[in-house]
Amino acid sequence: PLRRQRQMCIRDSPSPGQNVSLRRAYVSTFGGSFVIQAAGVLSGVLSARLLGPEGRGLLVVVYLIPSLACTLANLSLPMAVAYLVSKRQYDGRSVAASAFWLSVGMAVLVQALLMFTLHLVVPVDKSDATGVLRWYFLLYVPATFLGTTLLGIDHGRQDFVRYNVLRVLPPVFYVAGMIAIRAMGAISVASVAACNLAGVAFVAVMRMLVQWRQLSPANVRIGIL
């Protein structure tokens, strides 16, 4: 019995390669979370210093409405994609294409609903932010939907290095962009918002390029999500 137990332990224990993979996943995940938190602190300090109280208040309105819309309207699609990919019950191309085009449709629907109701959700004393909010919202929503949905594929595949590298790029781009516009003397609510949008859009574009061959509408499978 003791020999059998030892054999079972040896058989069930992770291989050296698996140990390295797990260690890399933990390091990249904790490292990515640390970078995101640090960049969040830096961006908050920079935006407050560069824009002042009034500009900072307008920037909060610009960020808050699109962020809430994406959080409430994505219906946990990235998590559903990660789950389907991890189960490997369906062809990877079908999952990628179905998730991509579903996220496109959801983003268009959210844009259409909120673009006609922005005047109802923007406070009267923050109406100066409406002009920036319109173009920021039109670009931020699809970039966020597409980027987070496709990152769900990396999450499901347990490709944590690429997943964590890509998820830290938006806050890093944001901080770097604010430092750049400060050096150029081009500080405004619109330019700071553009810095934030640039990182989100860059991740979405990069992730689409990685998966581009699989995103054909011909690979869409109705009812997979």
Side-chain angles (χ1 to χ4, degrees), residues 97-159:
S98 301
F100 175 80
W101 290 106
L102 178 59
S103 63
V104 170
M106 292 169 65
V108 171
L109 179 60
V110 171
Q111 287 176 315
L113 288 175
L114 263 79
M115 284 303 294
F116 295 104
T117 58
L118 283 180
H119 64 284
L120 300 176
V121 295
V122 177
V124 177
D125 60 332
K126 302 296 182 184
S127 58
D128 292 343
T130 303
V132 178
L133 179 57
R134 287 188 180 277
W135 63 259
Y136 181 83
F137 184 82
L138 282 173
L139 298 173
Y140 178 85
V141 170
T144 300
F145 268 82
L146 296 178
T148 55
T149 298
L150 293 177
L151 281 177
I153 297 175
D154 295 330
H155 195 180
R157 289 176 176 170
Q158 298 185 2
D159 189 353

Side-chain angles (χ1 to χ4, degrees), residues 18-114:
Q18 290 174 323
N19 284 330
V20 172
S21 179
L22 287 173
R23 190 180 305 115
R24 186 180 302 168
Y26 282 124
V27 170
S28 64
T29 299
F30 284 113
S33 298
F34 175 80
V35 172
I36 290 172
Q37 294 298 324
V41 173
L42 287 174
S43 62
V45 172
L46 285 171
S47 61
R49 287 293 190 93
L50 297 177
L51 296 174
E54 183 177 354
R56 175 65 173 166
L58 294 176
L59 189 66
V60 169
V61 174
V62 172
Y63 288 167
L64 181 62
I65 296 173
S67 298
L68 284 177
C70 291
T71 301
L72 296 176
N74 72 357
L75 304 178
S76 299
L77 180 59
M79 296 302 297
V81 172
Y83 175 80
L84 286 177
V85 172
S86 66
K87 289 298 182 181
R88 300 181 181 179
Q89 295 178 348
Y90 302 99
D91 179 45
R93 292 175 300 177
S94 298
V95 175
S98 301
F100 175 80
W101 290 106
L102 178 59
S103 63
V104 170
M106 292 169 65
V108 171
L109 179 60
V110 171
Q111 287 176 315
L113 288 175
L114 263 79

Side-chain angles (χ1 to χ4, degrees), residues 195-211:
C195 293
N196 187 51
L197 177 63
V200 177
F202 179 80
V203 170
V205 171
M206 290 298 296
R207 198 57 193 78
M208 283 190 290
L209 290 176
V210 170
Q211 212 82 29

